[in-house]
Amino acid sequence: MNFLGSLLEDLEFGSAGSEATAKAVLEMCGDISPKRAVFVGDDCCTPLLIENRFGCGITAAYADDIRAEKAAAKGIKVCPVQSFEIPETECGYDLLWYNGVVEFDGVDRRLGQLRSLTAKGGTAVYRTLCWLIDPSPDTLSYCEKRFGIIEPLDRVIIYAKEQGFRVKDFYIAPKSDWTEHHYRPLSEAADKLGGSEDGDAAAGMTVLAKEEEMFELHCEEYSYVYYILKG
């Protein structure tokens, strides 16, 4: 595992996110009563919040073994998966929460998969990295090299409707999800290893510093967006 991957293992959220954001998105889901629920992501906080709010059992799917072990230790029902994999179900999920980053096979294909796994009348929460406004050339170049192809916020809404979802609402992750809950704890963890002569560590810290600098300069241009979708 590389240096940044090792640092992320120790964080509550493996990507920019926060408990406050998860709670806000849960509120936007409304008064639903899911019987079959699944969470796919990189934190243990969200599935516990889902259980507490709706009183339902939930399966949490993790591609990271360490994260899966931490979730299991908290009493969460865990399902190990490969990267980008969602556990299959015959009846469909009443609540499917998928915390994505970017989609290498395309947002429309991911939404098609989510639609096929969401029960009729069910709710899907889909998070993906989006352009909030037209990006500047340097932001576009950097982010597509760092993260992959990123879609505009409104384009994801169009894709969702084309796949048969009704878009109930969406929530844009605030700047603090990145600065206070992601870059700062990452930087603090990296600083503890600052004296290391390991080449991978030095390269990882350089990547982290550049990504944080880019976000500070252009945070109005992109962020994670959570789409609340009805099947």
Side-chain angles (χ1 to χ4, degrees):
M1 177 175 291
N2 62 28
F3 175 72
L4 286 179
S6 298
L7 293 180
L8 288 169
E9 284 185 346
D10 294 328
L11 302 188
E12 175 63 38
F13 289 81
S15 52
S18 67
E19 181 176 346
T21 286
K23 287 181 175 179
V25 175
L26 278 170
E27 284 288 335
M28 298 170 79
C29 290
D31 295 326
I32 60 176
S33 301
K35 294 181 179 179
R36 295 177 299 277
V38 67
F39 167 80
V40 183
D42 55 11
D43 73 88
C44 303
C45 173
T46 303
L48 289 174
L49 290 173
I50 292 171
E51 284 189 340
N52 291 337
R53 178 171 176 81
F54 299 124
C56 64
I58 186 169
T59 298
Y62 299 99
D64 172 27
D65 291 341
I66 300 298
R67 192 78 60 183
E69 291 172 5
K70 289 182 177 181
K74 294 177 181 290
I76 301 170
K77 180 182 177 182
V78 169
C79 176
V81 293
Q82 299 297 316
S83 296
F84 311 110
E85 182 184 2
I86 303 174
E88 294 288 336
T89 177
E90 292 184 1
C91 302
Y93 293 108
D94 303 307
L95 175 60
L96 195 171
W97 186 308
Y98 185 88
N99 273 0
V101 181
V102 293
E103 303 292 350
F104 296 105
D105 291 331
V107 166
D108 54 339
R109 292 188 64 181
R110 175 64 64 194
L111 285 165
Q113 181 190 33
L114 297 182
R115 183 66 188 87
S116 70
L117 293 173
T118 302
K120 184 177 181 180
T123 299
V125 175
Y126 174 52
R127 185 194 78 170
T128 189
L129 191 63
C130 292
W131 297 122
L132 307 180
I133 59 175
D134 290 338
S136 55
D138 57 338
T139 314
L140 178 65
S141 175
Y142 173 80
C143 287
E144 291 198 342
K145 289 178 182 177
R146 179 74 181 97
F147 301 112
I149 300 300
I150 302 172
E151 296 281 4
L153 184 157
D154 57 349
R155 169 56 60 180
V156 179
I157 292 176
I158 292 171
Y159 285 145
K161 291 179 178 179
E162 289 176 345
Q163 292 296 341
F165 278 118
R166 178 170 63 85
V167 181
K168 182 178 180 181
D169 215 333
F170 63 86
Y171 182 87
I172 301 172
K175 180 180 178 180
S176 58
D177 276 13
W178 297 79
T179 55
E180 298 300 312
H181 299 286
H182 188 59
Y183 291 131
R184 186 165 73 174
L186 264 179
S187 296
E188 290 172 351
D191 285 344
K192 294 178 182 179
L193 303 176
S196 172
E197 297 296 327
D198 181 77
D200 186 51
M205 292 177 75
T206 299
V207 169
L208 175 60
K210 176 62 177 178
E211 185 181 318
E212 184 175 5
E213 177 187 18
M214 181 61 66
F215 184 77
E216 284 291 347
L217 290 172
H218 304 285
C219 59
E220 77 282 359
E221 297 181 21
Y222 63 97
S223 189
Y224 287 121
V225 179
Y226 296 76
Y227 296 88
I228 297 87
L229 311 171
K230 299 298 290 187

